[in-house]
Amino acid sequence: MIGFPIYIYSVSIDLFGLFGGMPSLKAIENPENDLSSEIISADGTSLGRYFRYNRSQASYHDLSPELVNTLILSEDHRFYQHSGMDFVAYLRVLSGILTLNPKGGGSTITQQLAKNLYTQNPDMGLDGTFSKLGKYPRRVIQKTKEWIISVYLERNFTKEEILAMYLNTTTFGNNTYGIKVAAETYFNKSPDSLNIQESAVLVGMLQAVTRFNPVSNPENSFKKRNEVLAKLFRYGYIKTREEYDSIKELPIELTYKVQNQNEGLAPYFRTVIQNDLMRWCKENGYDLWDSGLKIYTTIDSRMQRYAEESMREHMTYLQKDFAQSWEGRDPWIDDNYAPIKGFLDSRIKQTETYKSLVARYGENSDSLKIMLKLKKPMRVFSWNGERDTLFSSMDSLNHYKRFLQAGFMSMDAHTGAIKAWVGGIDHKYFKYDHVKQGRRQPGSTFKAFVYGTAIETGYTPCQRLPDISPSFDLPSGTWRPLNAEGGYGDGTRYTLRQAMARSINSISAQLIQKVDPVNVVDFAKRTGITSPLEAVPSLCLGVNDVSLYELVGAYSAFVNQGIYTIPYYITRIEDKHGNVIEAFTPKTRQAMNEQTAYKMVYMLQGGIQEEGGTSRGLPRELKIDNEIGGKTGTTDNASDGWYMGISKDLVSGSWVGGDERSIHYRSWSSGSGGKTARPIWSNFMMKVYADASLPYKKGKFKTPDSGIDITLDCEQYEVVEDPENTESWSQDDIR
C-alpha cells in the first residue's frame, strides 16, 4: 500500500523526469482559458465577440438552478459529498468491469474539469520516459495527473466555482466553447434562463458532443435528453410521473445560430473597429482573440436596431424601384448615358476568383474563360431573403453590381458618442463599409460649409442675393455652375436661408466666390472634414470625396454651439477580471463661435420651414412640437444621394448610391437625396421618438447663452446692400 502514495508523489514532482511536467500550483489556482473578447453596447447588450475559439466566461450566479441540478444529478450526484474523487463510483465501475456489465464512468465533475484543464494547458505535457513506453502507460500517467489536479482544485476552489469552471472549459461543438456561448448558440438565451429540457440537451452533449448534437443528430440528442430527464426524475428533482412524462414528450426547440461577424447587431461597426482594437492590443500587450476583454461602446442597441430596420425597410422598396427604372437595360452607363461596353469583363478582373483562376490556368487560357462562365450551385443575396441558384462567376458579378448600397450613422451631438452605425445593406454579402471606409462626393450637403464660412464672415441668414450664376475664370476656361433644374438662374432674389433651403447652386457659387474657396476649406477642416479638399470654385457643389463619418461629426458642431467633437465609439476596455484597463474620453475643439453655430442651425431648419425647402416632405409627426433641420445632397449624375438631419440632441446622416459612380438612376430626380437617403433618416427618427426608454426626445435647439446678436425675423431685417453690389449685374448675366 505504501507504493501507491510514493507513486502519486513521484508523478506530482516528475521524479527523475520520468513522468513529464506538472503545472504549477499557481497555474492550477488560476486556470487560463482562451477567452473571446466581447463588445458591449451602451445599454448593456452584447453586440458580438472576437474569438479564435468562441468562449466566454459565466460565473456560478449566471447559471440557472435547473442547469446546475441537471448537471450534478446527471454527471456526479454525490458532487457535494466527495472531495474530488468518488470512491463509491470507482467501485461501481470496477464491479461493472468484473461482471462484464459496464455501469458508466467514474469521473467526478472535478476530475472532468481537471481533464479539460489538462488537455487545454500546454504546460501539462506527457514528455517523461515512462510516458513514451506506450498508450497504456500514457493513459495511467494522465489519469494520475488528473487525480492530483482534482485534489488541488478541491482545496483551492469552492464547489460552486468548480461547477462554473467546468462548464466554462467544456466544448459544445460548432466552435462553441463554454456554457454561455452554448446557451446563446443553441437557444438564444443566457445560461440563467435555461429550463430543464434545454439544460438536459446541453448536459447530454457532454457525453459525446457530435453524437448527441441537436443540430446534426437530432434523434440521438432527443433520446439522450430524455435519459438525462429520467435521472432527474429518479433523484426526485422532477417531482411527479406526470411532469416527467409531459416534459419528455416535448420536442427540442432550438434557436440555433452560429455566432460570426456577419450575424447580430452592428456587424459593420464591429468589423471597422476591429483594426482599432488590434492596434490598441498590440500597444498594450493583449490578444484581442483570447484575452477575454470587455469592450464597452457608445452604440445603443435599441437605436442600432432602429437604424438597421429603417435602412432595410426603405432599401427594400428603393431596390425594387431602381430595378424597374432599368428594366431591360444595364445600370452602368458613361457620362453620356450610354452603356459602358465590357463593364463586367473589366470588373471581374478585380475579383479574387479571377485572380485565383489566372494563377491556376493562365490569363489568356480558354480554361479561364470556361471556368468564369461555368455555372455552379450558389446561395445569393436578395431583399426577399437568401436564395439558392445556379450561377457562374460572371452571373454572380452581374447580380451583385445591380444593388444599391447605403450607409447610416447617428451621433449624440453634445458628447460625440456614436449611437448607431450601419455600414451597408448586408454584411455577409457586401463587406465594404459606407460609414467610415467609403468616401463619395457629398453634393449639396457640403454647401453647409460654404454658408457657414459666409455667416462667419458677416453674412446673415436674411441677407438676399439674386439667383444668378457667376462666372469663374479658370486655366481651362470660364466656368458657370448650372442650377439643379438647369439654367443659370432667373434673377429672383432669395435670402441665404431660402437659397440654402432650396439648394440653389448659383447662390452658393456666389458665396464661395466672395469668401474665397481657401476659407471654405479652412472652415470645413475646423468642423471635422479630414479628407483632402481642393480650394476650387466647384467645391461649392461638393465635388471632393468625404465620408459619412466626417459629415455627421462636422454637422454636430453646428448643434453643439460651435464645439466640434471627434466622433468616438469606445468608452472603456476591461480585462477578463473586470478591471478597467483604459477609459476613453471624447476630444473636442472650438470650430466656430456659438453665434455662427446657431445661425447655421437656423439655416438648416430652413429646409423644413421655407417654401420650396428640400426637407419639406418630412412626416408631419416629426415636426410637431419639435425643431429639426436637414440638408439633402445629390451629385450631378445622381450616383450619390445624401441626407444630413439634425435635432436638438442627435445628428444623423444617410447615403445611398451604386457600387460604383457609373451605377445610378436614369434621372437626377429619381436618384436625388430627398428620395433615396432622406426616408432612412426620417424612419429612424420616428422610431427613436416612439421609444420612451431612450433619452432622445423632441424639443428646441439651444440658443447662445449670450442671446442672438441679430434678428432672424427676415420681415424685420434691415436690408444691407452686398459689398459686391450684385444688383449691378445686368440681365445679360441671367440665362
Side-chain angles (χ1 to χ4, degrees):
M1 292 296 291
I2 195 172
F4 184 71
I6 293 175
Y7 163 71
I8 295 293
Y9 178 73
S10 299
V11 172
S12 69
I13 64 171
D14 187 23
L15 185 65
F16 304 128
L18 298 174
F19 305 99
M22 277 287 292
S24 65
L25 178 59
K26 181 179 180 181
I28 297 175
E29 291 178 346
N30 298 280
E32 297 286 339
N33 296 324
D34 290 337
L35 295 176
S36 56
S37 293
E38 188 172 15
I39 307 173
I40 302 169
S41 72
D43 55 319
T45 298
S46 176
L47 296 176
R49 298 186 180 96
Y50 301 111
F51 55 83
R52 288 192 184 91
Y53 307 101
N54 192 8
R55 188 199 309 276
S56 186
Q57 295 279 37
S59 69
Y60 179 79
H61 299 291
D62 296 325
L63 311 176
S64 72
E66 289 83 358
L67 174 63
V68 171
N69 284 287
T70 299
L71 174 65
I72 292 173
L73 295 177
S74 175
E75 295 293 303
D76 187 1
H77 69 277
R78 281 185 292 273
F79 176 68
Y80 283 107
Q81 282 74 53
H82 64 66
S83 298
M85 289 181 283
D86 186 353
F87 294 101
V88 175
Y90 299 157
L91 292 174
R92 185 193 72 236
V93 172
L94 179 62
S95 172
I97 293 173
L98 295 175
T99 61
L100 301 179
N101 182 26
K103 298 181 180 180
S107 292
T108 65
I109 288 175
T110 311
Q111 286 178 267
Q112 292 179 54
L113 170 59
K115 182 178 180 181
N116 288 350
L117 295 176
Y118 183 96
T119 57
Q120 294 173 19
N121 193 322
D123 295 329
M124 303 183 197
L126 279 170
D127 53 359
T129 302
F130 286 164
S131 66
K132 298 176 182 177
L133 297 179
K135 180 179 179 181
Y136 182 73
R138 287 174 60 88
R139 181 61 184 141
V140 170
I141 295 171
Q142 180 176 322
K143 203 68 178 176
T144 303
K145 290 186 177 184
E146 289 173 12
W147 290 340
I148 296 169
I149 295 169
S150 296
V151 173
Y152 283 151
L153 289 170
E154 289 280 348
R155 287 178 179 174
N156 290 279
F157 294 94
T158 67
K159 290 287 187 177
E160 289 74 18
E161 289 172 330
I162 289 172
L163 284 172
M165 289 169 60
Y166 171 61
L167 288 172
N168 285 331
T169 57
T170 298
T171 177
F172 290 87
N174 299 310
N175 196 25
T176 300
Y177 296 84
I179 190 62
K180 183 176 181 180
V181 178
E184 293 171 351
T185 300
Y186 291 103
F187 299 107
N188 193 30
K189 288 185 173 183
S190 56
D192 60 0
S193 300
L194 292 171
N195 59 33
I196 289 180
Q197 59 267 30
E198 292 163 347
S199 299
V201 170
L202 296 177
V203 169
M205 292 175 70
L206 300 176
Q207 297 293 319
V209 173
T210 302
R211 189 190 314 162
F212 301 126
N213 190 294
V215 176
S216 56
N217 290 299
E219 292 184 4
N220 289 350
S221 178
F222 183 82
K223 292 177 182 177
K224 188 63 182 179
R225 182 203 69 174
N226 286 355
E227 288 179 14
V228 174
L229 292 174
K231 289 184 178 180
L232 299 183
F233 176 58
R234 184 191 319 153
Y235 291 116
Y237 189 69
I238 297 177
K239 303 297 184 184
T240 66
R241 166 65 68 172
E242 291 76 13
E243 183 184 3
Y244 166 64
D245 289 340
S246 174
I247 296 176
K248 75 175 186 179
E249 295 301 322
L250 294 174
I252 296 176
E253 296 182 355
L254 298 177
T255 309
Y256 178 70
K257 182 177 287 187
V258 176
Q259 297 183 9
N260 59 60
Q261 294 293 27
N262 295 320
E263 302 292 340
L265 287 173
Y268 288 93
F269 171 75
R270 287 184 271 126
T271 300
V272 168
I273 70 168
Q274 178 178 309
N275 290 332
D276 294 342
L277 292 170
M278 289 178 66
R279 184 164 50 250
W280 182 91
C281 285
K282 184 177 181 179
E283 293 171 354
N284 292 274
Y286 290 92
D287 187 327
L288 179 62
W289 311 103
D290 63 17
S291 289
L293 301 175
K294 300 288 186 185
I295 300 123
Y296 290 86
T297 72
T298 62
I299 296 292
D300 186 291
S301 68
R302 296 159 294 183
M303 297 173 72
Q304 178 67 30
R305 188 174 297 108
Y306 298 150
E308 293 180 9
E309 289 174 357
S310 298
M311 178 179 287
R312 182 170 58 251
E313 290 163 1
H314 180 60
M315 293 304 293
T316 302
Y317 152 76
L318 202 63
Q319 184 64 47
K320 183 178 180 181
D321 181 68
F322 182 73
Q324 289 176 347
S325 75
W326 284 105
E327 191 169 6
R329 296 182 59 185
D330 294 329
W332 35 85
I333 54 178
D334 61 23
D335 292 340
N336 297 315
Y337 283 78
I340 299 175
K341 295 181 180 180
F343 178 83
L344 292 178
D345 290 332
S346 65
R347 297 312 187 269
I348 194 69
K349 294 179 180 180
Q350 301 171 4
T351 66
E352 292 301 319
T353 298
Y354 180 86
K355 294 173 184 176
S356 175
L357 291 174
V358 166
R360 184 174 181 182
Y361 297 109
E363 190 166 6
N364 299 313
S365 68
D366 291 336
S367 297
L368 171 64
K369 298 174 184 177
I370 292 171
M371 294 303 293
L372 287 174
K373 295 181 179 180
L374 179 66
K375 294 186 183 294
K376 48 190 176 290
M378 191 178 296
R379 177 164 290 182
V380 298
F381 170 81
S382 83
W383 280 111
N384 294 320
E386 293 178 313
R387 64 184 179 92
D388 294 316
T389 186
L390 285 174
F391 266 2
S392 68
S393 296
M394 292 298 294
D395 293 334
S396 175
L397 182 66
N398 183 32
H399 173 72
Y400 285 119
K401 283 293 183 181
R402 296 174 183 273
F403 282 95
L404 289 173
Q405 305 298 326
F408 179 87
M409 176 178 143
S410 184
M411 168 179 163
D412 187 308
H414 306 298
T415 66
I418 296 174
K419 310 310 293 184
W421 179 310
V422 189
I425 58 176
D426 188 282
H427 188 265
K428 180 177 180 180
Y429 291 95
F430 305 97
K431 302 296 187 188
Y432 194 75
D433 172 69
H434 293 286
V435 170
K436 194 175 184 182
Q437 185 178 7
R439 286 176 166 81
R440 297 289 281 262
Q441 290 183 350
S444 293
T445 59
F446 196 85
K447 289 177 182 176
F449 309 116
V450 178
Y451 281 92
T453 306
I455 294 293
E456 189 173 63
T457 304
Y459 285 81
T460 71
C462 292
Q463 202 151 341
R464 295 180 183 273
L465 291 175
D467 177 12
I468 301 174
S469 184
S471 297
F472 295 86
D473 294 325
L474 304 175
S476 58
T478 300
W479 176 69
R480 292 186 71 189
L482 290 165
N483 281 330
E485 66 278 4
Y488 298 105
D490 61 7
T492 303
R493 295 179 66 82
Y494 294 98
T495 66
L496 295 194
R497 191 176 193 242
Q498 291 169 336
M500 183 170 166
R502 293 169 179 253
S503 202
I504 300 174
N505 291 345
S506 65
I507 293 181
S508 62
Q510 290 177 48
L511 289 176
I512 202 169
Q513 188 179 58
K514 297 172 190 301
V515 302
D516 195 306
V518 172
N519 292 324
V520 173
V521 170
D522 174 67
F523 185 89
K525 292 291 186 181
R526 277 187 276 131
T527 59
I529 301 299
T530 57
S531 293
L533 299 175
E534 297 177 281
V536 294
S538 58
L539 188 64
C540 68
L541 304 182
V543 294
N544 292 140
D545 292 353
V546 300
S547 70
L548 185 60
Y549 173 89
E550 292 172 83
L551 274 182
V552 173
Y555 269 65
S556 294
F558 300 137
V559 179
N560 196 31
Q561 297 183 291
I563 299 172
Y564 168 67
T565 305
I566 299 177
Y568 79 110
Y569 35 74
I570 300 174
T571 56
R572 71 183 188 277
I573 299 176
E574 295 180 356
D575 65 17
K576 64 181 180 181
H577 303 297
N579 301 311
V580 177
I581 308 170
E582 186 162 348
F584 299 86
T585 55
K587 299 177 181 179
T588 65
R589 66 170 178 263
Q590 192 78 38
M592 68 196 84
N593 64 47
E594 61 177 358
Q595 293 292 337
T596 299
Y598 185 76
K599 290 166 193 173
M600 282 306 301
V601 167
Y602 178 70
M603 294 280 286
L604 289 166
Q605 288 178 265
I608 289 95
Q609 298 171 358
E610 294 285 354
E611 189 67 34
T614 58
S615 297
R616 295 276 286 185
L618 288 170
R620 182 173 178 271
E621 295 92 321
L622 278 180
K623 306 173 192 176
I624 297 174
D625 300 323
N626 197 28
E627 289 187 346
I628 53 176
K631 185 72 193 77
T632 56
T634 314
T635 51
D636 282 344
N637 58 8
S639 60
D640 301 278
W642 298 79
Y643 191 75
M644 299 300 301
I646 64 172
S647 68
K648 70 180 182 66
D649 297 313
L650 288 175
V651 175
S652 310
S654 54
W655 168 87
V656 175
D659 193 39
E660 300 185 42
R661 299 173 204 268
S662 59
I663 301 171
H664 51 79
Y665 270 93
R666 296 177 67 173
S667 68
W668 187 92
S669 59
S670 297
S672 67
K675 179 181 178 182
T676 62
R678 190 181 68 193
I680 298 175
W681 180 84
S682 63
N683 291 350
F684 170 75
M685 292 302 296
M686 292 283 286
K687 293 174 186 288
V688 168
Y689 285 140
D691 189 339
S693 69
L694 289 172
Y696 300 105
K697 313 297 181 184
K698 291 183 175 182
K700 294 184 178 182
F701 291 103
K702 190 178 187 304
T703 57
D705 294 334
S706 58
I708 306 171
D709 62 7
I710 60 168
T711 178
L712 296 177
D713 181 355
C714 294
E715 295 298 324
Q716 302 297 321
Y717 178 72
E718 181 181 351
V719 177
V720 178
E721 292 299 330
D722 182 75
E724 297 293 328
N725 192 16
T726 56
E727 287 192 294
S728 66
W729 294 345
S730 70
Q731 290 298 308
D732 291 338
D733 291 319
I734 305 172
R735 300 187 179 93

PDB file of all heavy atoms in Angstrom, residues 501-502 605-620 623 630 632 643 674 678:
ATOM      1  N   ALA A 501     -32.167  76.433 -48.279  1.00  0.00           N
ATOM      2  CA  ALA A 501     -33.294  75.517 -48.176  1.00  0.00           C
ATOM      3  C   ALA A 501     -33.634  74.906 -49.523  1.00  0.00           C
ATOM      4  O   ALA A 501     -33.940  73.711 -49.632  1.00  0.00           O
ATOM      5  CB  ALA A 501     -34.504  76.236 -47.595  1.00  0.00           C
ATOM      6  N   ARG A 502     -33.571  75.730 -50.591  1.00  0.00           N
ATOM      7  CA  ARG A 502     -33.885  75.262 -51.942  1.00  0.00           C
ATOM      8  C   ARG A 502     -32.662  74.646 -52.635  1.00  0.00           C
ATOM      9  O   ARG A 502     -32.777  74.123 -53.733  1.00  0.00           O
ATOM     10  CB  ARG A 502     -34.395  76.438 -52.785  1.00  0.00           C
ATOM     11  CG  ARG A 502     -35.738  77.001 -52.336  1.00  0.00           C
ATOM     12  CD  ARG A 502     -36.046  78.305 -53.040  1.00  0.00           C
ATOM     13  NE  ARG A 502     -37.335  78.851 -52.651  1.00  0.00           N
ATOM     14  CZ  ARG A 502     -38.425  78.862 -53.427  1.00  0.00           C
ATOM     15  NH1 ARG A 502     -38.367  78.351 -54.645  1.00  0.00           N
ATOM     16  NH2 ARG A 502     -39.550  79.384 -52.988  1.00  0.00           N
ATOM     17  N   GLN A 605     -32.719  74.573 -40.435  1.00  0.00           N
ATOM     18  CA  GLN A 605     -34.157  74.465 -40.208  1.00  0.00           C
ATOM     19  C   GLN A 605     -34.955  74.987 -41.401  1.00  0.00           C
ATOM     20  O   GLN A 605     -36.107  74.588 -41.611  1.00  0.00           O
ATOM     21  CB  GLN A 605     -34.561  75.249 -38.957  1.00  0.00           C
ATOM     22  CG  GLN A 605     -34.123  74.606 -37.652  1.00  0.00           C
ATOM     23  CD  GLN A 605     -34.531  75.468 -36.465  1.00  0.00           C
ATOM     24  OE1 GLN A 605     -33.751  76.273 -35.957  1.00  0.00           O
ATOM     25  NE2 GLN A 605     -35.748  75.299 -36.030  1.00  0.00           N
ATOM     26  N   GLY A 606     -34.320  75.837 -42.186  1.00  0.00           N
ATOM     27  CA  GLY A 606     -34.999  76.379 -43.348  1.00  0.00           C
ATOM     28  C   GLY A 606     -35.421  75.324 -44.344  1.00  0.00           C
ATOM     29  O   GLY A 606     -36.413  75.498 -45.072  1.00  0.00           O
ATOM     30  N   GLY A 607     -34.692  74.219 -44.408  1.00  0.00           N
ATOM     31  CA  GLY A 607     -35.068  73.145 -45.317  1.00  0.00           C
ATOM     32  C   GLY A 607     -36.442  72.592 -45.035  1.00  0.00           C
ATOM     33  O   GLY A 607     -37.123  72.092 -45.934  1.00  0.00           O
ATOM     34  N   ILE A 608     -36.868  72.681 -43.765  1.00  0.00           N
ATOM     35  CA  ILE A 608     -38.198  72.217 -43.363  1.00  0.00           C
ATOM     36  C   ILE A 608     -39.209  73.363 -43.412  1.00  0.00           C
ATOM     37  O   ILE A 608     -40.365  73.167 -43.806  1.00  0.00           O
ATOM     38  CB  ILE A 608     -38.150  71.617 -41.942  1.00  0.00           C
ATOM     39  CG1 ILE A 608     -37.401  70.276 -41.944  1.00  0.00           C
ATOM     40  CG2 ILE A 608     -39.552  71.398 -41.380  1.00  0.00           C
ATOM     41  CD1 ILE A 608     -35.953  70.383 -41.604  1.00  0.00           C
ATOM     42  N   GLN A 609     -38.787  74.563 -43.042  1.00  0.00           N
ATOM     43  CA  GLN A 609     -39.720  75.668 -42.824  1.00  0.00           C
ATOM     44  C   GLN A 609     -39.930  76.581 -44.028  1.00  0.00           C
ATOM     45  O   GLN A 609     -40.985  77.193 -44.172  1.00  0.00           O
ATOM     46  CB  GLN A 609     -39.228  76.499 -41.629  1.00  0.00           C
ATOM     47  CG  GLN A 609     -39.171  75.717 -40.324  1.00  0.00           C
ATOM     48  CD  GLN A 609     -38.478  76.471 -39.200  1.00  0.00           C
ATOM     49  OE1 GLN A 609     -37.999  77.598 -39.406  1.00  0.00           O
ATOM     50  NE2 GLN A 609     -38.422  75.870 -38.016  1.00  0.00           N
ATOM     51  N   GLU A 610     -38.939  76.679 -44.901  1.00  0.00           N
ATOM     52  CA  GLU A 610     -39.044  77.602 -46.031  1.00  0.00           C
ATOM     53  C   GLU A 610     -39.787  76.947 -47.203  1.00  0.00           C
ATOM     54  O   GLU A 610     -39.651  75.751 -47.454  1.00  0.00           O
ATOM     55  CB  GLU A 610     -37.651  78.039 -46.497  1.00  0.00           C
ATOM     56  CG  GLU A 610     -36.874  78.867 -45.487  1.00  0.00           C
ATOM     57  CD  GLU A 610     -37.378  80.303 -45.389  1.00  0.00           C
ATOM     58  OE1 GLU A 610     -38.257  80.696 -46.185  1.00  0.00           O
ATOM     59  OE2 GLU A 610     -36.884  81.029 -44.507  1.00  0.00           O
ATOM     60  N   GLU A 611     -40.560  77.769 -47.917  1.00  0.00           N
ATOM     61  CA  GLU A 611     -41.249  77.293 -49.111  1.00  0.00           C
ATOM     62  C   GLU A 611     -40.214  76.789 -50.118  1.00  0.00           C
ATOM     63  O   GLU A 611     -39.214  77.447 -50.394  1.00  0.00           O
ATOM     64  CB  GLU A 611     -42.062  78.433 -49.740  1.00  0.00           C
ATOM     65  CG  GLU A 611     -42.980  77.999 -50.863  1.00  0.00           C
ATOM     66  CD  GLU A 611     -44.107  77.100 -50.372  1.00  0.00           C
ATOM     67  OE1 GLU A 611     -44.580  77.300 -49.235  1.00  0.00           O
ATOM     68  OE2 GLU A 611     -44.499  76.196 -51.129  1.00  0.00           O
ATOM     69  N   GLY A 612     -40.462  75.593 -50.645  1.00  0.00           N
ATOM     70  CA  GLY A 612     -39.529  75.013 -51.611  1.00  0.00           C
ATOM     71  C   GLY A 612     -38.350  74.317 -50.993  1.00  0.00           C
ATOM     72  O   GLY A 612     -37.464  73.823 -51.707  1.00  0.00           O
ATOM     73  N   GLY A 613     -38.305  74.231 -49.645  1.00  0.00           N
ATOM     74  CA  GLY A 613     -37.198  73.559 -48.970  1.00  0.00           C
ATOM     75  C   GLY A 613     -37.144  72.078 -49.302  1.00  0.00           C
ATOM     76  O   GLY A 613     -38.178  71.413 -49.447  1.00  0.00           O
ATOM     77  N   THR A 614     -35.947  71.550 -49.408  1.00  0.00           N
ATOM     78  CA  THR A 614     -35.790  70.148 -49.819  1.00  0.00           C
ATOM     79  C   THR A 614     -36.134  69.156 -48.712  1.00  0.00           C
ATOM     80  O   THR A 614     -36.108  67.950 -48.940  1.00  0.00           O
ATOM     81  CB  THR A 614     -34.343  69.892 -50.283  1.00  0.00           C
ATOM     82  OG1 THR A 614     -33.433  70.208 -49.229  1.00  0.00           O
ATOM     83  CG2 THR A 614     -34.016  70.726 -51.505  1.00  0.00           C
ATOM     84  N   SER A 615     -36.447  69.658 -47.514  1.00  0.00           N
ATOM     85  CA  SER A 615     -36.864  68.772 -46.419  1.00  0.00           C
ATOM     86  C   SER A 615     -38.345  68.936 -46.085  1.00  0.00           C
ATOM     87  O   SER A 615     -38.808  68.431 -45.057  1.00  0.00           O
ATOM     88  CB  SER A 615     -36.022  69.033 -45.165  1.00  0.00           C
ATOM     89  OG  SER A 615     -34.661  68.746 -45.384  1.00  0.00           O
ATOM     90  N   ARG A 616     -39.069  69.630 -46.910  1.00  0.00           N
ATOM     91  CA  ARG A 616     -40.493  69.885 -46.632  1.00  0.00           C
ATOM     92  C   ARG A 616     -41.301  68.595 -46.587  1.00  0.00           C
ATOM     93  O   ARG A 616     -42.342  68.536 -45.947  1.00  0.00           O
ATOM     94  CB  ARG A 616     -41.074  70.813 -47.698  1.00  0.00           C
ATOM     95  CG  ARG A 616     -40.482  72.208 -47.706  1.00  0.00           C
ATOM     96  CD  ARG A 616     -41.133  73.117 -46.718  1.00  0.00           C
ATOM     97  NE  ARG A 616     -42.474  73.532 -47.141  1.00  0.00           N
ATOM     98  CZ  ARG A 616     -43.214  74.415 -46.493  1.00  0.00           C
ATOM     99  NH1 ARG A 616     -42.747  74.980 -45.387  1.00  0.00           N
ATOM    100  NH2 ARG A 616     -44.414  74.742 -46.929  1.00  0.00           N
ATOM    101  N   GLY A 617     -40.839  67.573 -47.275  1.00  0.00           N
ATOM    102  CA  GLY A 617     -41.602  66.332 -47.350  1.00  0.00           C
ATOM    103  C   GLY A 617     -41.464  65.414 -46.156  1.00  0.00           C
ATOM    104  O   GLY A 617     -41.995  64.295 -46.184  1.00  0.00           O
ATOM    105  N   LEU A 618     -40.787  65.845 -45.112  1.00  0.00           N
ATOM    106  CA  LEU A 618     -40.655  65.005 -43.922  1.00  0.00           C
ATOM    107  C   LEU A 618     -42.019  64.789 -43.268  1.00  0.00           C
ATOM    108  O   LEU A 618     -42.900  65.649 -43.361  1.00  0.00           O
ATOM    109  CB  LEU A 618     -39.699  65.654 -42.921  1.00  0.00           C
ATOM    110  CG  LEU A 618     -38.214  65.640 -43.303  1.00  0.00           C
ATOM    111  CD1 LEU A 618     -37.413  66.511 -42.354  1.00  0.00           C
ATOM    112  CD2 LEU A 618     -37.674  64.214 -43.319  1.00  0.00           C
ATOM    113  N   PRO A 619     -42.215  63.661 -42.594  1.00  0.00           N
ATOM    114  CA  PRO A 619     -43.511  63.386 -41.953  1.00  0.00           C
ATOM    115  C   PRO A 619     -43.915  64.479 -40.962  1.00  0.00           C
ATOM    116  O   PRO A 619     -43.071  65.018 -40.236  1.00  0.00           O
ATOM    117  CB  PRO A 619     -43.264  62.056 -41.228  1.00  0.00           C
ATOM    118  CG  PRO A 619     -42.123  61.433 -41.943  1.00  0.00           C
ATOM    119  CD  PRO A 619     -41.264  62.554 -42.413  1.00  0.00           C
ATOM    120  N   ARG A 620     -45.188  64.772 -40.936  1.00  0.00           N
ATOM    121  CA  ARG A 620     -45.707  65.808 -40.046  1.00  0.00           C
ATOM    122  C   ARG A 620     -45.429  65.474 -38.585  1.00  0.00           C
ATOM    123  O   ARG A 620     -45.162  66.366 -37.771  1.00  0.00           O
ATOM    124  CB  ARG A 620     -47.212  65.961 -40.272  1.00  0.00           C
ATOM    125  CG  ARG A 620     -47.877  67.050 -39.429  1.00  0.00           C
ATOM    126  CD  ARG A 620     -49.329  67.254 -39.840  1.00  0.00           C
ATOM    127  NE  ARG A 620     -49.968  68.251 -39.000  1.00  0.00           N
ATOM    128  CZ  ARG A 620     -50.590  67.974 -37.855  1.00  0.00           C
ATOM    129  NH1 ARG A 620     -50.667  66.714 -37.428  1.00  0.00           N
ATOM    130  NH2 ARG A 620     -51.145  68.935 -37.136  1.00  0.00           N
ATOM    131  N   LYS A 623     -42.356  66.930 -37.083  1.00  0.00           N
ATOM    132  CA  LYS A 623     -42.286  68.381 -36.932  1.00  0.00           C
ATOM    133  C   LYS A 623     -43.096  68.897 -35.750  1.00  0.00           C
ATOM    134  O   LYS A 623     -42.836  70.002 -35.255  1.00  0.00           O
ATOM    135  CB  LYS A 623     -42.789  69.048 -38.212  1.00  0.00           C
ATOM    136  CG  LYS A 623     -42.088  68.579 -39.475  1.00  0.00           C
ATOM    137  CD  LYS A 623     -42.777  69.166 -40.714  1.00  0.00           C
ATOM    138  CE  LYS A 623     -42.317  68.515 -41.989  1.00  0.00           C
ATOM    139  NZ  LYS A 623     -43.039  69.016 -43.174  1.00  0.00           N
ATOM    140  N   GLY A 630     -32.334  69.975 -41.763  1.00  0.00           N
ATOM    141  CA  GLY A 630     -31.750  68.969 -42.627  1.00  0.00           C
ATOM    142  C   GLY A 630     -31.238  69.541 -43.927  1.00  0.00           C
ATOM    143  O   GLY A 630     -31.586  70.658 -44.315  1.00  0.00           O
ATOM    144  N   THR A 632     -30.302  68.044 -47.961  1.00  0.00           N
ATOM    145  CA  THR A 632     -30.161  66.991 -48.955  1.00  0.00           C
ATOM    146  C   THR A 632     -28.878  67.196 -49.750  1.00  0.00           C
ATOM    147  O   THR A 632     -28.306  68.286 -49.770  1.00  0.00           O
ATOM    148  CB  THR A 632     -31.352  66.986 -49.926  1.00  0.00           C
ATOM    149  OG1 THR A 632     -31.457  68.290 -50.511  1.00  0.00           O
ATOM    150  CG2 THR A 632     -32.637  66.636 -49.221  1.00  0.00           C
ATOM    151  N   TYR A 643     -28.477  62.601 -47.112  1.00  0.00           N
ATOM    152  CA  TYR A 643     -29.319  63.436 -46.251  1.00  0.00           C
ATOM    153  C   TYR A 643     -28.654  63.575 -44.891  1.00  0.00           C
ATOM    154  O   TYR A 643     -28.258  62.578 -44.271  1.00  0.00           O
ATOM    155  CB  TYR A 643     -30.725  62.874 -46.058  1.00  0.00           C
ATOM    156  CG  TYR A 643     -31.628  63.896 -45.400  1.00  0.00           C
ATOM    157  CD1 TYR A 643     -32.110  64.973 -46.132  1.00  0.00           C
ATOM    158  CD2 TYR A 643     -31.955  63.817 -44.045  1.00  0.00           C
ATOM    159  CE1 TYR A 643     -32.904  65.952 -45.542  1.00  0.00           C
ATOM    160  CE2 TYR A 643     -32.759  64.782 -43.452  1.00  0.00           C
ATOM    161  CZ  TYR A 643     -33.224  65.850 -44.205  1.00  0.00           C
ATOM    162  OH  TYR A 643     -34.005  66.826 -43.624  1.00  0.00           O
ATOM    163  N   GLY A 674     -33.250  63.549 -51.524  1.00  0.00           N
ATOM    164  CA  GLY A 674     -34.551  63.646 -50.877  1.00  0.00           C
ATOM    165  C   GLY A 674     -35.377  62.383 -51.037  1.00  0.00           C
ATOM    166  O   GLY A 674     -36.195  62.059 -50.183  1.00  0.00           O
ATOM    167  N   ARG A 678     -33.157  60.556 -47.609  1.00  0.00           N
ATOM    168  CA  ARG A 678     -33.929  61.213 -46.549  1.00  0.00           C
ATOM    169  C   ARG A 678     -34.889  60.269 -45.823  1.00  0.00           C
ATOM    170  O   ARG A 678     -35.019  60.343 -44.583  1.00  0.00           O
ATOM    171  CB  ARG A 678     -34.701  62.405 -47.133  1.00  0.00           C
ATOM    172  CG  ARG A 678     -35.340  63.297 -46.074  1.00  0.00           C
ATOM    173  CD  ARG A 678     -36.112  64.430 -46.735  1.00  0.00           C
ATOM    174  NE  ARG A 678     -37.290  63.945 -47.445  1.00  0.00           N
ATOM    175  CZ  ARG A 678     -38.005  64.670 -48.310  1.00  0.00           C
ATOM    176  NH1 ARG A 678     -37.630  65.911 -48.599  1.00  0.00           N
ATOM    177  NH2 ARG A 678     -39.065  64.159 -48.889  1.00  0.00           N
TER     178      ARG A 678
END
